[in-house]
């Protein structure tokens, strides 16, 4: 590198300093800075000259698709050098040294485990009322006798003398539990009798019993619906069906609650735009009486759409068996639809039949498939024999007393008439539904706010009027989008006095609790 500019600048500064009569130290500093800048510029120019020479070399030129590209060889060599350099470097490894006891203690003190459960909110900490007697039309709650509208005892069979006698006889004969699943020494003759009784009552070929009401939906839906299948389901179904849909891993498509126009549009969209849909298994899942609204499904219209678009139908009759139809045979009898048109019928026996467990009924092929593939049937201990015996007796009593359903309809009509003009509340359920569902006419704008108002109303009705009603509070896993409300279960065992008392007390309490909300 040529250093003459540096020398020239320094000598020039020294000569100027000598010629000046007054010494100036800053002159040398400035001269030195100029010299350094000049040297740096000279170095950059030299480097650029070398790079230009390398890029212009004949070996570094290439023609790609008629386009001249220069310097590719230089860039490739440079990248190769960088890669070899990186590969030759040793990866960093921390020194292997065992932690001291103090370090271990400090780490343990700082560690905070992730919570297994979500944080407990204020509304989760509320204590529910405690029943101290049978959940009949009148019950003891927190030491006080109340009129009970919180239990789905539709036919008044809780505490029925014949059911008690049947359970007592079965307990003495079979004991309490079965201690085994149905396929492994858990099948008892009373189970077979109960399945035959249900099939004969509903007019199907065969039935299958489950040990728990909700496990019927948990098991039956995944048993038939697999990954890749399409399930069209009402958005208002209860959590048991929701969980069965989740376990099936099928493609779930929701339609608006009890809206047949929405259902038809959904079916049309699936079949018209998806060519593969014709080769897939397709289902429509609905409830006969919706637990989250009290609405009744229009089964006759659903069957027409099913046949038009070639879907299968799964119907949950948990709140309609023993209730709908002139003899209590459910929604098929109510809508005058042959039960053979329903592919799969499920129901819980914990409502009208006042026992426990559930069943699925239908064709022999449908039932036999569940005996081999339904997890709730194959792996769970079978239904306790005394509960199966109670279900048989409950169906016998219903067949011998068809007026029970007529009495229930009369009670529903009385309660409907009495609650039709409650201030701030409106009835959202069907006039013939055993679930009378009351909603706020004017929402607060949030589910939490609506729940608070409704719970205040229910608590005051219990404390001041001894009328026991419940709010349709949902868990964090329940994804139902329908508005919350007060759910009243009507029973054939309720007297007219009970019904009128409930109407008058709710009107009085609603006028106090909802007064400010209505005026806002």
């Amino acid at each position: 590198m040529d250093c003459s500019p540096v020398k020239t600048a320094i000598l020039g500064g020294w000569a100027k300093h000598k010629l000046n009569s007054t010494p100036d130290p800053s002159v040398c500093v400035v001269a030195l800075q100029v010299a350094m800048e000049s040297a740096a510029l000279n170095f950059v120019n030299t480097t650029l000259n070398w790079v230009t020479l390398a890029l212009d070399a004949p070996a570094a030129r290439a023609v790609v698709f008629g386009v001249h590209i220069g310097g590719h060889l230089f860039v490739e060599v440079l990248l190769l050098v960088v890669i070899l350099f990186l590969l030759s470097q040793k990866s960093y490894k921390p020194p292997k040294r065992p932690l001291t006891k103090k370090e271990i203690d400090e780490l343990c003190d700082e560690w905070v485990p992730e919570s297994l459960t979500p944080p407990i909110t204020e509304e989760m900490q509320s204590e529910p009322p405690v029943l101290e007697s049978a959940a009949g039309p009148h019950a003891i709650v927190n030491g006080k006798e109340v009129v009970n509208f919180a239990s789905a005892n539709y036919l008044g069979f809780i505490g029925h003398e014949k059911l008690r006698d049947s359970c007592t006889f079965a307990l003495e004969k079979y004991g309490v539990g079965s201690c085994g699943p149905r396929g492994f020494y858990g099948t008892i003759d009373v189970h077979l009798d109960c399945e035959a009784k249900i099939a004969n009552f509903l007019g199907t070929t065969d039935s299958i019993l489950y040990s728990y009401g909700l496990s019927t939906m948990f098991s039956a839906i995944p048993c038939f619906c697999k990954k890749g299948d399409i399930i069209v389901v009402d958005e208002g179904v209860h959590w048991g069906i929701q969980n069965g849909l989740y376990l099936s891993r099928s493609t779930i498509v929701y339609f608006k609650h009890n809206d047949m126009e929405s259902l038809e549009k959904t079916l049309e969209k699936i079949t018209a735009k998806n060519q593969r849909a014709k080769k897939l298994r397709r289902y429509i899942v609905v409830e006969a009486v919706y637990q989250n609204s009290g609405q009744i499904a229009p089964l006759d219209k659903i069957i027409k759409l099913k046949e038009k678009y070639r879907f299968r139908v799964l119907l949950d009759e948990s709140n309609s068996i023993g209730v709908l139809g002139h003899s209590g045979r459910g929604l098929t009898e109510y809508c005058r639809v042959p039960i053979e048109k329903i592919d799969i019928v499920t129901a819980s026996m914990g409502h009208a039949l006042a026992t426990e467990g559930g069943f699925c009924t239908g064709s022999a092929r449908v039932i036999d498939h569940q005996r081999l593939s339904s997890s709730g049937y194959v792996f769970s201990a079978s239904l306790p024999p005394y509960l199966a015996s109670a279900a048989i007796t409950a169906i016998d009593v219903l067949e011998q007393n068809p007026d029970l359903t007529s009495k229930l309809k009369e009670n529903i009509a009385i309660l409907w008439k009495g609650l039709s003009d409650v201030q701030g509340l409106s009835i959202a359920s069907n006039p013939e539904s055993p679930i009378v569902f009351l909603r706020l006419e004017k929402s607060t704008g949030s589910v939490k706010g609506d729940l608070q108002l409704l719970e205040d109303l229910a608590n005051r009705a219990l404390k001041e009027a001894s009328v026991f009603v419940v709010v349709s509070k949902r868990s964090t896993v329940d994804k139902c989008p329908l508005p919350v409300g007060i759910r009243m279960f009507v029973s054939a065992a309720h007297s007219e006095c009970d019904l009128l008392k409930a109407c008058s007390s709710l009107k009085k309490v609603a006028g106090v609790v909802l007064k400010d909300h209505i005026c806002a």
Side-chain angles (χ1 to χ4, degrees):
M1 183 174 61
D2 187 7
C3 297
S4 59
V6 180
K7 295 179 181 178
T8 304
I10 294 175
L11 291 174
W14 176 81
K16 188 176 180 181
H17 172 67
K18 286 294 183 178
L19 293 174
N20 289 338
S21 57
T22 305
D24 187 0
S26 62
V27 173
C28 291
V29 174
V30 173
L32 183 60
Q33 291 178 347
V34 172
M36 293 178 64
E37 292 175 359
S38 178
L41 183 60
N42 193 20
F43 175 77
V44 171
N45 291 332
T46 304
T47 304
L48 289 176
N49 291 333
W50 279 104
V51 172
T52 303
L53 182 63
L55 295 178
D56 291 338
R61 297 170 188 169
V63 179
V64 180
F65 299 111
V67 179
H68 291 274
I69 300 176
H72 72 95
L73 185 61
F74 173 78
V75 174
E76 291 172 358
V77 171
L78 181 61
L79 290 176
L80 181 61
V81 171
V82 172
I83 292 172
L84 293 174
F85 173 76
L86 293 175
L87 292 176
S88 65
Q89 300 298 309
K90 293 182 179 180
S91 59
Y92 172 76
K93 293 182 179 180
K96 294 182 179 180
R97 179 181 62 83
L99 296 175
T100 63
K101 187 176 182 304
K102 182 180 179 181
E103 290 173 334
I104 294 175
D105 293 339
E106 289 176 351
L107 290 174
C108 291
D109 293 338
E110 294 174 359
W111 180 68
V112 179
E114 185 177 353
S115 177
L116 295 175
T117 60
I120 304 298
T121 59
E122 184 178 351
E123 53 266 21
M124 293 180 182
Q125 296 177 345
S126 60
E127 292 292 334
V130 179
L131 280 163
E132 300 171 7
S133 67
H138 292 259
I140 306 298
V141 176
N142 297 335
K144 180 173 65 173
E145 183 176 348
V146 299
V147 182
N148 182 16
F149 288 92
S151 302
N153 179 30
Y154 298 134
L155 300 178
F157 283 168
I158 290 182
H160 194 283
E161 183 179 358
K162 289 187 177 181
L163 268 72
R164 286 205 309 264
D165 292 344
S166 175
C167 288
T168 301
F169 175 80
L171 282 169
E172 292 175 350
K173 181 179 180 180
Y174 303 105
V176 177
S178 59
C179 298
R182 288 290 299 273
F184 190 74
Y185 306 114
T187 296
I188 302 174
D189 56 359
V190 70
H191 292 142
L192 303 177
D193 294 340
C194 185
E195 290 172 345
K197 187 70 178 179
I198 292 170
N200 291 334
F201 178 68
L202 295 177
T204 58
T205 305
D206 200 359
S207 295
I208 184 172
L209 285 180
Y210 287 87
S211 306
Y212 180 46
L214 281 180
S215 69
T216 307
M217 277 64 77
F218 288 178
S219 302
I221 295 176
C223 180
F224 294 99
C225 308
K226 306 297 182 182
K227 186 175 181 180
D229 295 343
I230 299 175
I231 305 178
V232 178
V233 58
D234 190 294
E235 65 179 0
V237 294
H238 62 74
W239 180 76
I241 295 178
Q242 294 175 35
N243 195 51
L245 297 172
Y246 170 76
L247 294 174
S248 73
R249 299 184 300 165
S250 302
T251 301
I252 312 300
V253 182
Y254 290 95
F255 66 92
K256 293 181 182 179
H257 178 52
N258 220 24
D259 187 335
M260 294 301 101
E261 290 185 6
S262 175
L263 173 59
E264 184 168 13
K265 289 179 181 178
T266 304
L267 299 179
E268 174 68 27
K269 184 178 180 181
I270 290 173
T271 54
K273 294 187 177 182
N274 187 353
Q275 297 299 324
R276 291 184 63 250
K278 296 180 180 180
K279 301 179 180 179
L280 301 176
R281 288 174 293 196
R282 296 165 291 173
Y283 301 87
I284 300 172
V285 178
V286 293
E287 288 182 68
V289 177
Y290 289 95
Q291 191 168 300
N292 288 321
S293 70
Q295 288 287 325
I296 297 177
L299 186 61
D300 51 343
K301 297 180 181 178
I302 293 173
I303 294 301
K304 289 180 181 179
L305 294 175
K306 166 213 168 181
E307 294 174 345
K308 179 179 179 180
Y309 294 99
R310 302 177 68 84
F311 275 67
R312 296 181 175 95
V313 171
L314 191 153
L315 176 66
D316 181 31
E317 294 242 40
S318 295
N319 291 290
S320 58
I321 293 293
V323 175
L324 297 182
H326 66 274
S327 62
R329 284 174 167 81
L331 187 63
T332 53
E333 184 180 52
Y334 175 80
C335 294
R336 298 180 181 179
V337 173
I339 197 167
E340 295 83 11
K341 291 183 177 291
I342 311 299
D343 299 278
I344 306 168
V345 177
T346 63
S348 168
M349 298 191 297
H351 298 157
L353 300 184
T355 179
E356 187 45 78
F359 66 85
C360 181
T361 188
S363 65
R365 291 182 64 186
V366 167
I367 302 307
D368 290 342
H369 178 67
Q370 292 178 75
R371 296 193 193 280
L372 297 175
S373 305
S374 181
S375 58
Y377 179 88
V378 174
F379 300 108
S380 297
S382 61
L383 185 71
Y386 71 94
L387 293 176
S389 178
I392 295 172
T393 305
I395 295 175
D396 288 337
V397 174
L398 176 58
E399 290 180 318
Q400 296 164 10
N401 299 275
D403 58 317
L404 284 172
T405 56
S406 301
K407 174 62 175 173
L408 177 60
K409 292 175 182 176
E410 292 175 5
N411 286 353
I412 294 171
I414 293 172
L415 194 64
W416 240 84
K417 182 179 179 181
L419 296 176
S420 58
D421 58 348
V422 178
Q423 186 179 16
L425 297 175
S426 61
I427 303 178
S429 53
N430 188 286
E432 296 185 71
S433 169
I435 302 174
V436 178
F437 204 90
L438 298 172
R439 290 178 183 164
L440 292 172
E441 288 184 345
K442 179 183 177 184
S443 174
T444 61
S446 69
V447 175
K448 184 177 180 180
D450 292 350
L451 280 174
Q452 185 62 50
L453 277 177
L454 294 169
E455 286 177 352
D456 289 347
L457 195 154
N459 290 335
R460 293 194 66 161
L462 178 61
K463 293 178 182 178
E464 298 177 8
S466 297
V467 174
F468 187 26
V469 296
V470 291
V471 178
S472 61
K473 182 185 292 187
R474 302 185 183 114
S475 68
T476 55
V477 295
D478 192 339
K479 305 303 180 183
C480 176
L482 301 184
V484 294
I486 291 177
R487 187 162 46 207
M488 300 180 69
F489 297 98
V490 187
S491 173
H494 281 133
S495 65
E496 185 175 356
C497 182
D498 295 335
L499 302 169
L500 295 177
K501 180 180 179 181
C503 295
S504 61
S505 61
L506 285 176
K507 286 181 180 179
K508 181 180 177 181
V509 172
V512 176
V513 175
L514 303 179
K515 182 179 179 180
D516 295 337
H517 172 66
I518 295 172
C519 298

